[in-house]
Amino acid sequence: MRFVARFLAAVVLGTLIVAGGQPTGAAAAPAEVELIVLGLHPAAAARKTVALTFDDGPSKYTPQVLDILKRYHVKATFCMLGQNAGTYRKAAQRIVREGHRLCDHSWNHPDFTDLSNSAARSQVVRAQNRISAVTGRTPKVFRFPYGASNARTRIVVRNQGLRILGWTVDTRDWSRPGAKTIENRAVTGTRPGAVILMHDGGGNRSQTVAALDDVIRRLKAKGYTFVLA
Ligand SMILES: [Zn+2]
């Protein structure tokens, strides 16, 4: 349902995308119908901007991603798992040092719709604390694992002072469809204000690394400017 709502919103609204996420037939109190902005701010979209986001890291592939971003002077947003920030400390620190944005992606990637409020809060706070301890910087942005949330868990996240980050272009790079397919999905799916979802962790990301160079090159050739999500 959540997916359908987002998909329809994407078709209707282009890059200014909102999703209430309420199941059909549910008696949604007005307070529960809050918005998730999946794309960039309309003012940013007007300037033909795009944001690269990398989830589930850091991992041993993160330095390769960072090398490519550095070569093109592109800044990106890294939605990292708290437990990985502790394991790949140097990569986490390099993300901050090289001017990229940190994003909390939970401690270890549960489906938040299955969690109690206190368990959800613990996932967020534990990741915040670890990322902060490792990098010296506390994320101000949160992305739900699987993009799975409900009104209840969105409130939990917002109560921690975090902005919720979505995406508009899903490369599905995690399924390893081949570097060329990842590249084409990213480039052809991008409209001004797009937020592209890729992964620098969670498995073998050599295809993502192989695709990234041409993703950036082709989007730059189309006149896009890369911004932080
Ligand atoms: Zn994830």
Side-chain angles (χ1 to χ4, degrees):
M1 183 59 214
R2 183 175 50 249
F3 174 80
V4 171
R6 283 187 178 175
F7 177 74
L8 292 175
V11 169
V12 173
L13 294 172
T15 55
L16 174 62
I17 296 165
V18 296
Q22 283 299 309
T24 308
E32 292 178 328
V33 188
E34 87 283 22
L35 304 177
I36 300 177
V37 178
L38 300 180
L40 296 173
H41 189 276
R47 295 193 304 271
K48 204 167 182 182
T49 52
V50 60
L52 295 177
T53 66
F54 297 93
D55 284 17
D56 299 357
S59 81
K60 65 176 182 175
Y61 297 95
T62 305
Q64 297 174 64
V65 169
L66 289 168
D67 286 347
I68 296 168
L69 295 175
K70 193 175 194 175
R71 194 180 313 143
Y72 287 97
H73 307 288
V74 166
K75 306 300 181 200
T77 301
F78 287 82
C79 295
M80 60 176 65
L81 299 176
Q83 68 173 11
N84 288 358
T87 308
Y88 296 92
R89 300 173 69 91
K90 283 199 163 63
Q93 289 161 356
R94 189 178 157 195
I95 285 168
V96 170
R97 194 168 62 241
E98 298 189 353
H100 304 289
R101 177 168 288 168
L102 292 175
C103 161
D104 182 336
H105 194 41
S106 82
W107 176 257
N108 63 359
H109 216 276
D111 182 335
F112 270 58
T113 61
D114 292 337
L115 300 182
S116 68
N117 285 0
S118 67
R121 192 177 305 109
S122 166
Q123 279 282 334
V124 175
V125 171
R126 199 173 169 203
Q128 289 284 86
N129 290 344
R130 178 60 59 86
I131 293 167
S132 171
V134 168
T135 67
R137 200 80 60 83
T138 307
K140 303 210 163 25
V141 189
F142 181 85
R143 176 178 273 161
F144 283 98
Y146 316 104
S149 73
N150 51 29
R152 183 173 61 77
T153 51
R154 288 194 289 274
I155 289 168
V156 168
V157 168
R158 290 202 173 97
N159 282 347
Q160 296 303 317
L162 290 158
R163 171 169 63 88
I164 295 169
L165 177 63
W167 63 82
T168 66
V169 183
D170 188 352
T171 62
R172 302 196 299 284
D173 59 335
W174 52 266
S175 68
R176 290 192 268 163
K180 197 69 193 171
T181 299
I182 295 169
E183 172 197 326
N184 286 334
R185 284 174 181 165
V187 173
T188 62
T190 293
R191 304 286 177 274
V195 175
I196 300 174
L197 171 61
M198 290 187 280
H199 293 78
D200 66 320
N204 185 326
R205 297 296 170 244
S206 53
Q207 290 186 5
T208 304
V209 170
L212 185 55
D213 210 285
D214 282 340
V215 168
I216 295 172
R217 203 179 41 71
R218 286 175 64 188
L219 288 174
K220 283 198 173 211
K222 285 173 164 235
Y224 280 95
T225 301
F226 292 86
V227 298
L228 296 170

